[in-house]
């Protein structure tokens, strides 16, 4: 790998928000933590996207509480990888895209950039589909119209950016807690078996011996770690003010940013557990194989005999509202990640509205084409969402390997280099996730 020139060493990641939010090194612990609460919220959005919704609820409906253990392990892995991006961003002052570009030859960097951009577009496809379906369920808006409406997200985000990055964090947090409250209510109403639920967090040999359970388990793992989240977190964590030349300040910043990340990913973990629990409590043992997508889940909630007509209607409506909130949240983080990737890899900047319009248009085009070809077939459209998750699986190693190499480089990281146990676990995760994702891809195409 060829080291690039230092002409852009001074370039800040997301310069308009970099070093803009106060952080007082001398304040007490609670004040420091409050100052750092925020970036983790934006990252947590990616761990509760439509792909996670489908895999978690299907897993619960088809196999009860068995896969709660997989959600637990996936969430712990996510916490480790996101903590590595935190240390990279704060220790080096560069995001993962900048760091990858800096230590790659130009042709290789272009390849990595293309893969990162395609991963963001794939993420956007899931957001478009999720938002369009939720608008269709809530307001009976045709899917094509709903997909086109999502272009308006461009202008909504630009409007919010004018009020500062802290406001965006607050909006994202509000939407996340809206989703959390909805699913806590829905799980409470569904009255799950608490003993079976707790038992689900223990490992079961069926996870690897049962082909059906293993396939859903791989889907949960594959949909959990998303490439754009690693680029995003390494950048937005630098929005806080701290002395960039003082290792004590950096250590404090890393500590509280990691706590923030772990808190928010714990919330995402709870939401995914609630989704699986809801599927298990309402549908396990009864027509579970018919729950193939959002429409199936929506109508199943609406007509669930245990709930009755009125409560079933409320539950299904809240489900659609939560899906819409999740789509809007993902739009915000996808936009920021796209900007980070383009500026970091290409050192080239587009106006935010144009950058977002291009990315969203590239995501909408395949959705619109499929809607026309499949004549609005709901099941086929939801299959496109599955394919988007498969591509994210392919793109994952291209993000994880540069992250591992950078954070284990003492020249780059100084005293914040990975500890040996982190290297062992992270390399193991990279190898296991890569193998599982290849297997998931093969299985997905065999299902066609």
């Amino acid at each position: 790998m060829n080291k690039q020139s230092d002409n852009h060493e001074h370039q800040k990641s997301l310069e308009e928000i970099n070093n803009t939010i106060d952080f007082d090194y001398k304040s007490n612990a609670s004040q420091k933590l409050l100052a750092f609460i925020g970036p983790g919220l934006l990252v947590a959005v990616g761990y509760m996207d439509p792909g996670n919704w489908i895999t978690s609820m299907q897993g619960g409906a088809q196999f009860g509480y068995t896969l709660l253990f997989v959600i637990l392990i996936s969430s712990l892995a996510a916490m480790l990888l996101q903590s590595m991006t935190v240390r990279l961003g704060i220790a080096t002052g560069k995001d993962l895209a900048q760091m990858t570009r800096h230590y790659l030859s130009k042709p290789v960097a272009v390849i990595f950039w293309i893969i990162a951009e395609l991963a963001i577009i794939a993420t956007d496809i899931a957001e478009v589909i999720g938002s369009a379906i939720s608008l269709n369920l809530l307001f009976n808006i045709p899917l094509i119209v709903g997909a086109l409406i999502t272009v308006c997200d461009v202008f909504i985000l630009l409007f919010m950016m004018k009020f500062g990055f802290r406001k965006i964090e607050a909006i994202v947090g509000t939407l996340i807690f809206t989703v959390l409250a909805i699913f806590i209510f829905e799980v409470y109403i569904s009255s799950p078996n608490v003993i079976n639920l707790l038992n689900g967090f223990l490992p079961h040999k069926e996870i690897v011996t049962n082909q059906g359970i293993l396939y859903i388990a791989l889907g949960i793992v594959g949909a959990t770690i998303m490439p754009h989240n690693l680029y995003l977190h390494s950048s937005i964590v630098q929005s806080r003010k701290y002395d960039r030349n003082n290792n004590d300040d950096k250590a404090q910043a890393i500590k509280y940013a990691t706590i923030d990340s772990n808190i928010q990913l714990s919330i995402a973990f709870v939401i995914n557990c609630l989704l699986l629990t809801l599927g298990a409590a309402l549908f396990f043992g009864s027509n579970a194989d018919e729950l193939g997508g959002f429409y199936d889940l929506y109508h199943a909630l609406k007509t669930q005999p245990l709930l009755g007509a009125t409560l079933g209607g409320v539950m299904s409506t809240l489900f659609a509202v939560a899906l819409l909130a999740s789509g809007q949240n993902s739009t915000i983080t996808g936009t920021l990640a796209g900007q980070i990737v383009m500026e970091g890899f290409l050192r080239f900047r587009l106006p935010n509205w144009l950058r977002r319009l291009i990315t969203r248009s590239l995501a909408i085009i395949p959705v619109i084409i499929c809607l026309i070809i499949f004549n609005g077939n709901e099941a086929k459209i939801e299959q496109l969402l599955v394919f988007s998750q498969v591509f994210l699986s392919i793109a994952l190693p291209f993000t994880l390997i540069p992250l591992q190499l950078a954070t284990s480089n003492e020249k780059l990281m100084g005293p914040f280099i990975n500890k040996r146990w982190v290297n062992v676990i992270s390399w193991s995760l990279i190898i296991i996730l890569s193998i599982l994702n290849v297997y998931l891809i093969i299985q997905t195409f065999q299902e066609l």
Side-chain angles (χ1 to χ4, degrees), residues 19 34 75 94 97 99 106 139 166 169 175 194 234 259 263 345 398 415:
N19 200 30
L34 284 174
S75 299
K94 291 184 177 297
M99 192 59 67
K106 189 171 182 180
F139 308 111
R166 200 64 163 153
E169 293 174 344
L175 291 173
V194 177
S234 62
I259 293 173
I263 289 173
F345 275 106
F398 292 89

Side-chain angles (χ1 to χ4, degrees), residues 39 41-46 120 123 127 157 168 172 228-229 232 236 326-340 356:
L41 283 168
L42 273 69
V43 170
V45 168
I120 291 170
T123 303
E127 295 160 13
L157 180 63
I168 291 178
V172 168
H228 78 282
N229 261 345
L232 177 70
I236 60 177
S326 176
Q328 294 309 299
N329 254 351
S330 298
T331 290
I332 294 171
T333 57
T335 299
L336 293 171
Q339 184 179 342
I340 292 162
R356 184 58 189 159

Side-chain angles (χ1 to χ4, degrees), residues 209-274:
T209 59
N210 183 303
Q211 183 75 13
I213 296 179
L214 179 61
Y215 180 68
I216 296 292
L218 293 176
I220 290 172
V221 173
T224 298
I225 315 292
M226 302 182 74
H228 78 282
N229 261 345
L230 301 173
Y231 294 112
L232 177 70
H233 206 180
S234 62
S235 176
I236 60 177
V237 75
Q238 298 177 54
S239 61
R240 271 51 184 175
K241 288 183 178 179
Y242 51 88
D243 188 345
R244 263 58 174 171
N245 300 311
N246 186 311
N247 282 342
D248 288 336
D249 270 24
K250 286 183 177 181
Q252 290 283 298
I254 289 171
K255 174 184 175 180
Y256 288 104
T258 302
I259 293 173
D260 168 49
S261 174
N262 290 341
I263 289 173
Q264 313 311 339
L265 292 182
S266 296
I267 294 172
F269 162 72
V270 170
I271 289 176
N272 284 321
C273 288
L274 290 171

Side-chain angles (χ1 to χ4, degrees), residues 29-92:
S30 60
Q31 290 173 324
K32 291 174 184 175
L33 181 57
L34 284 174
F36 266 88
I37 291 289
L41 283 168
L42 273 69
V43 170
V45 168
Y47 293 91
M48 52 184 103
D49 74 325
N52 292 90
W53 285 44
I54 287 294
T55 52
S56 294
M57 288 200 74
Q58 280 187 349
Q62 295 178 25
F63 307 112
Y65 303 99
T66 303
L67 290 169
L68 284 172
F69 174 74
V70 176
I71 294 178
L72 174 62
I73 293 299
S74 298
S75 299
L76 291 174
M79 288 179 185
L80 176 64
L81 293 171
Q82 295 296 160
S83 71
M84 290 167 63
T85 67
V86 164
R87 281 189 291 108
L88 176 68
I90 294 174
T92 67

Side-chain angles (χ1 to χ4, degrees), residues 61 279-291 304-305:
L282 294 181
F283 308 119
F284 180 52
S286 59
N287 302 321
D289 292 336
E290 297 177 9
L291 301 178
Q304 172 58 241

Side-chain angles (χ1 to χ4, degrees), residues 13 58 95 100 114 126 160 172 176 181 188 219 226-227 245 256 274 311 319 357 390 417 424 444-445:
S13 180
Q58 280 187 349
D95 61 53
T100 305
I114 291 171
M160 290 191 300
V172 168
I176 286 176
Y188 172 76
M226 302 182 74
N245 300 311
Y256 288 104
L274 290 171
L311 190 54
F319 174 81
L357 193 59
V390 170
I417 187 175
V424 171
T444 300
F445 281 100

Side-chain angles (χ1 to χ4, degrees), residues 294-434:
F294 293 120
Y295 284 97
D296 299 322
L297 292 166
Y298 175 84
H299 293 302
L301 283 170
K302 197 170 187 177
T303 59
Q304 172 58 241
L306 293 175
L307 300 175
T310 302
L311 190 54
V314 171
M315 295 269 279
S316 60
T317 300
L318 288 175
F319 174 81
V321 169
L323 179 59
L324 182 61
S326 176
Q328 294 309 299
N329 254 351
S330 298
T331 290
I332 294 171
T333 57
T335 299
L336 293 171
Q339 184 179 342
I340 292 162
V341 165
M342 177 170 280
E343 292 181 12
F345 275 106
L346 301 187
R347 296 167 180 161
F348 176 69
R349 187 167 187 174
L350 288 175
N352 284 340
W353 68 269
L354 182 58
R355 158 81 219 186
R356 184 58 189 159
L357 193 59
I358 292 172
T359 304
R360 178 45 61 96
S361 297
L362 290 173
I364 286 177
I365 289 170
V367 176
I368 298 296
I369 291 173
C370 288
L371 283 168
I372 294 171
I373 293 174
F374 300 137
N375 196 27
N377 186 301
E378 299 162 357
K380 294 289 186 181
I381 297 303
E382 288 174 339
Q383 277 299 308
L384 182 59
L385 189 152
V386 174
F387 283 126
S388 73
Q389 301 304 300
V390 170
F391 183 80
L392 290 175
S393 298
I394 297 172
L396 191 57
F398 292 89
T399 311
L400 293 181
I401 292 173
L403 173 64
Q404 167 60 30
L405 292 175
T407 52
S408 59
N409 186 325
E410 188 172 5
K411 185 177 179 181
L412 291 176
M413 300 295 293
F416 306 108
I417 187 175
N418 288 342
K419 291 181 171 58
R420 182 173 297 177
W421 67 267
V422 173
N423 283 330
V424 171
I425 294 176
S426 60
W427 273 120
S428 300
L429 281 172
I430 290 169
I431 293 168
I432 293 170
L433 284 171
S434 298

